[in-house]
């Protein structure tokens, strides 16, 4: 379900970018004043920034999990060496 939603969003975004000029006007009602009236270029820059931020969050989580597992392996090895 999430993948199909992502695919539809991706297709809609591609169509919008291909059909409209970068200075095409737009309106994002939840952006604070004076920014709700904007253009396609500004929205694309915003989405790029959000994508980078969330990819960074995912990478931090992956690194934390990997580091946690790495620390567990080190402790297991130390225990095995101590037992010898």
């Amino acid at each position: 379900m999430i993948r199909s939603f992502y695919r539809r969003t991706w297709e809609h975004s591609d169509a919008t970018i291909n059909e409209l000029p970068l200075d095409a006007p737009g309106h994002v009602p939840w952006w604070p004043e004076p920014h709700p009236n904007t253009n396609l270029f500004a929205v694309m820059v915003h989405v790029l920034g959000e994508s980078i931020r969330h990819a960074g969050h995912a990478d931090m989580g992956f690194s934390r999990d990997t580091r946690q597992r790495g620390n567990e392996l080190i402790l297991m090895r130390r225990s095995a060496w101590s037992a010898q």
Side-chain angles (χ1 to χ4, degrees), residues 1-14:
M1 184 166 121
I2 291 173
R3 291 171 73 183
S4 64
F5 174 74
Y6 181 77
R7 172 67 63 185
R8 288 191 316 270
T9 303
W10 179 0
E11 291 168 353
H12 180 76
S13 298
D14 282 350

Side-chain angles (χ1 to χ4, degrees), residues 52-63:
I52 291 167
R53 179 176 298 117
H54 291 294
H57 292 158
D59 185 52
M60 288 183 339
F62 175 77
S63 296

Side-chain angles (χ1 to χ4, degrees), residues 20-36:
L20 297 176
L22 290 176
D23 61 349
H27 182 78
V28 184
W30 54 88
W31 284 6
E33 288 293 340
H35 304 292

Side-chain angles (χ1 to χ4, degrees), residues 33-84:
E33 288 293 340
H35 304 292
N37 295 316
T38 186
N39 61 35
L40 179 58
F41 179 77
V43 172
M44 290 173 61
V45 169
H46 176 80
V47 170
L48 176 63
E50 288 293 316
S51 298
I52 291 167
R53 179 176 298 117
H54 291 294
H57 292 158
D59 185 52
M60 288 183 339
F62 175 77
S63 296
R64 183 192 64 231
D65 292 346
T66 304
R67 190 170 47 251
Q68 176 76 25
R69 288 190 201 109
N71 289 339
E72 290 169 3
L73 289 174
I74 290 169
L75 292 174
M76 288 171 52
R77 287 182 186 151
R78 286 183 183 164
S79 295
W81 292 330
S82 299
Q84 294 176 353

